[in-house]
Amino acid sequence: MSTLTAERSGRRPPRSILPWLATPALLLFAGFAVVPLVGVFALSFTTWDGIGSIRATGLTSWRAVLTDPGLPHALWVTFLVMAVSWAVQTPLSILLGTFLAGRQRYRAVLGVVYFVPLMLSSAAIAIAYKALLDPNFGMGAGLNVEALSQDWLGRPGLAFGVVVFVVSWQFVPFHSLIYQGGVQQIPKSLYEAAELDGAGRVRQFFSITLPQLKYTIITSSTLMVVGSLTFFDLIFVLTEGGPGDATRVLALDMYKRGFQASLMGPASAIAVILVLVGLALALLLRRLGGRDAGASQLEGAS
């Protein structure tokens, strides 16, 4: 009996058909994820300038990367960008997502308008902010506001702050959308019962909304943390890793080794490190979410 006939008759298709339905997705995943990852792992044990022949050199590339004094600093900057951007984006995303989950029409309009930054290219956003923050010809000089005319990208602390701000400005709308969907799934009866007990909106937010969003927070944090490992184009256009090495994250270090210094072996080793760090962080966040991260949101209140 075919799947269509089984559906019309109200019977489920045989279990033997179900694995075949996942075959196209598995083939795409293998072709665009597994095979390139295996290739990068193999390339990390070679010496290649990107043009000539590839020569197997064992652990030479790994030794060059792991003994480089710049690696710990790049790792530190990467984790610092990750932690600070998470600390900025998460509260803002929760508050905006909760606000946009309301039924008023103007909130829906604001949600659409606020989603615009996510549709823009990271490189285009970086170019725009670089022009706006130029101390001589940017926004500060145009408005004649001295506080805005600082050398934002020429001082380490300010440059790092600008990177975190621009990253948050671009990606908060995406995570707000995730939290908006999570809030809309919370049963209204919980809020109605809280109102009968005399709880105000602030109390409802901390006693109902946040506990119910437990697994939504885990999901958003996983996307946010793992995604921060791949920040490259925005930082490259804004600061190129400077001033000095103040914003030189690991992904940018990988690019500079591979495409500027033509050291594909060490660049591939850094790529493998990024994958391993991303997997470790994803597993850690999943474990923090509890043994059943796929449970319903009602369990988040327990």
Side-chain angles (χ1 to χ4, degrees):
M1 182 183 293
S2 66
T3 304
L4 181 59
T5 306
E7 289 179 353
R8 287 177 176 176
S9 62
R11 297 170 57 185
R12 293 184 178 180
R15 289 180 177 271
S16 59
I17 298 179
L18 297 179
W20 292 102
L21 298 178
T23 301
L26 290 175
L27 290 176
L28 286 174
F29 178 76
F32 291 96
V34 178
V35 173
L37 182 59
V38 172
V40 168
F41 181 73
L43 198 60
S44 67
F45 296 97
T46 66
T47 297
W48 185 39
D49 61 1
I51 300 176
S53 59
I54 302 175
R55 295 184 295 106
T57 53
L59 297 174
T60 302
S61 296
W62 282 96
R63 279 195 294 266
V65 170
L66 296 177
T67 58
D68 185 357
L71 180 66
H73 177 74
L75 273 172
W76 166 250
V77 174
T78 301
F79 281 111
L80 197 59
V81 170
M82 178 193 306
V84 177
S85 62
W86 178 88
V88 172
Q89 290 182 67
T90 301
L92 289 175
S93 300
I94 293 175
L95 292 175
L96 284 170
T98 303
F99 174 77
L100 295 175
R103 297 182 180 276
Q104 295 88 342
R105 282 187 179 179
Y106 75 91
R107 298 194 185 193
V109 174
L110 287 176
V112 172
V113 172
Y114 194 63
F115 200 71
V116 170
L118 192 63
M119 297 187 290
L120 302 176
S121 164
S122 295
I125 290 173
I127 292 172
Y129 270 99
K130 192 171 184 178
L132 287 173
L133 296 175
D134 188 286
N136 299 315
F137 308 102
M139 182 173 55
L143 298 176
N144 198 23
V145 179
E146 186 176 353
L148 297 177
S149 301
Q150 303 182 56
D151 190 6
W152 293 97
L153 302 177
R155 297 167 61 182
L158 291 177
F160 180 85
V162 168
V163 167
V164 171
F165 173 81
V166 176
V167 165
S168 302
W169 183 83
Q170 183 179 13
F171 291 105
V172 161
F174 171 73
H175 295 281
S176 298
L177 187 66
I178 294 176
Y179 287 113
Q180 180 184 357
V183 172
Q184 289 175 339
Q185 292 179 9
I186 300 175
K188 302 299 180 185
S189 58
L190 296 179
Y191 294 102
E192 294 171 357
E195 288 181 1
L196 291 176
D197 291 338
R201 291 192 176 184
V202 175
R203 180 66 181 274
Q204 292 177 26
F205 176 77
F206 286 102
S207 299
I208 298 176
T209 306
L210 278 183
Q212 294 293 311
L213 290 177
K214 174 183 177 181
Y215 297 117
T216 306
I217 293 174
I218 294 296
T219 301
S220 173
S221 297
T222 302
L223 294 173
M224 200 179 298
V225 166
V226 175
S228 66
L229 294 174
T230 62
F231 289 155
F232 159 72
D233 46 356
L234 191 148
I235 297 177
F236 179 74
V237 175
L238 266 179
T239 65
E240 294 189 25
D245 288 334
T247 58
R248 182 163 177 160
V249 294
L250 209 54
L252 183 60
D253 193 20
M254 176 185 67
Y255 170 81
K256 289 194 172 185
R257 289 174 188 264
F259 293 97
Q260 291 186 348
S262 298
L263 299 173
M264 291 298 177
S268 299
I270 294 177
V272 174
I273 293 174
L274 282 171
V275 171
L276 294 177
V277 171
L279 288 174
L281 290 172
L283 291 174
L284 176 62
L285 288 170
R286 182 175 177 82
R287 177 158 296 194
L288 291 176
R291 59 182 177 84
D292 187 10
S296 67
Q297 284 192 330
L298 284 176
E299 295 180 14
S302 60

